[in-house]
Amino acid sequence: LVDTIGVNGLSLVFAPSSRVLSESGAVVEYLLERGDTDRYRIYSPSYSLPQQVAAVNGFELADGVNPMQLAAYARFMEQASGVPSRGYSVTIPPYGTGDPAVDNQNSLPNPEKLGMLNVKYVVSAFPLEENRLVQVARFSDIWVYENRSVLPKAWVQMEGAADEKDAGAVASISHRPGRIEVKAEGPGMLTLSE
């Protein structure tokens, strides 16, 4: 009771939904204008695109707050984000001091690993020096990058193919809660970016 009312109660901040849902407005507008965010995911090493804003706009994120993480995903995101894990964190990637705007600025994301998760856009509060992440926009203190190593949401890894770049896209994929339907042709290994 003391923890819930005292500690947790002190960390609550009440704000109108109009303000909370309009955060990162210029970035959201830019991404919506691309017209492809229903086919790709977004990653932010700095929480520059909050989860509630992404959800309202139909964006899928590879990062965020989730106290019930799959250990395999957390390990993979450690490699993909370049942010070292220091044990359990409710966020992916973790924020060492709790300041997302600066905590991960020395960690360089791995475009290929992010690409395997279908991440096409990286939104960051700091510049990223990685050749395969191409800056496509900047809004005051937010940089938007396009990942040139992005893969589709699902692909067929053909037999004998050297890597994912030789993969064949699936014919169709549809998502519904608790269900993913894929139409694909082989031979090969069907891989989903989930």
Side-chain angles (χ1 to χ4, degrees):
L1 187 59
V2 169
D3 182 47
T4 301
I5 294 172
V7 176
N8 294 334
L10 293 174
S11 64
L12 286 176
V13 176
F14 293 94
S17 61
S18 59
R19 184 178 59 140
V20 173
L21 297 177
S22 66
E23 291 179 33
S24 306
V27 173
V28 169
E29 261 184 60
Y30 175 82
L31 292 171
L32 288 173
E33 286 172 3
R34 306 284 62 79
D36 63 357
T37 51
D38 60 331
R39 296 186 313 229
Y40 300 105
R41 289 189 178 93
I42 301 164
Y43 166 71
S44 178
S46 55
Y47 204 67
S48 296
L49 187 61
Q51 279 180 278
Q52 71 274 6
V53 173
V56 164
N57 290 285
F59 301 154
E60 285 187 53
L61 300 176
D63 61 291
V65 179
N66 184 354
M68 301 295 287
Q69 301 166 10
L70 296 173
Y73 188 75
R75 283 191 303 272
F76 188 86
M77 278 303 290
E78 182 176 7
Q79 296 171 15
S81 68
V83 178
S85 173
R86 294 169 189 88
Y88 173 76
S89 170
V90 296
T91 63
I92 292 180
Y95 302 104
T97 67
D99 186 356
V102 297
D103 277 348
N104 297 327
Q105 63 186 347
N106 295 322
S107 299
L108 197 58
N110 181 317
E112 278 82 23
K113 297 278 187 190
L114 289 175
M116 291 176 74
L117 294 173
N118 188 236
V119 171
K120 182 174 182 179
Y121 298 105
V122 177
V123 180
S124 178
F126 38 81
L128 300 170
E129 300 297 326
E130 165 52 64
N131 293 339
R132 293 157 298 174
L133 297 177
V134 178
Q135 183 180 331
V136 291
R138 181 168 179 201
F139 304 95
S140 64
D141 60 346
I142 298 178
W143 285 259
V144 180
Y145 296 89
E146 186 174 315
N147 182 3
R148 297 296 164 98
S149 299
V150 66
L151 291 170
K153 287 192 178 202
W155 67 90
V156 176
Q157 185 72 32
M158 302 300 179
E159 291 180 25
D163 59 28
E164 290 81 14
K165 291 181 181 88
D166 299 324
V170 299
S172 69
I173 183 169
S174 65
H175 290 237
R176 292 192 309 252
R179 185 179 183 97
I180 299 173
E181 293 181 17
V182 177
K183 290 183 184 173
E185 290 190 30
M189 181 172 60
L190 177 64
T191 306
L192 285 90
S193 64
E194 299 298 316

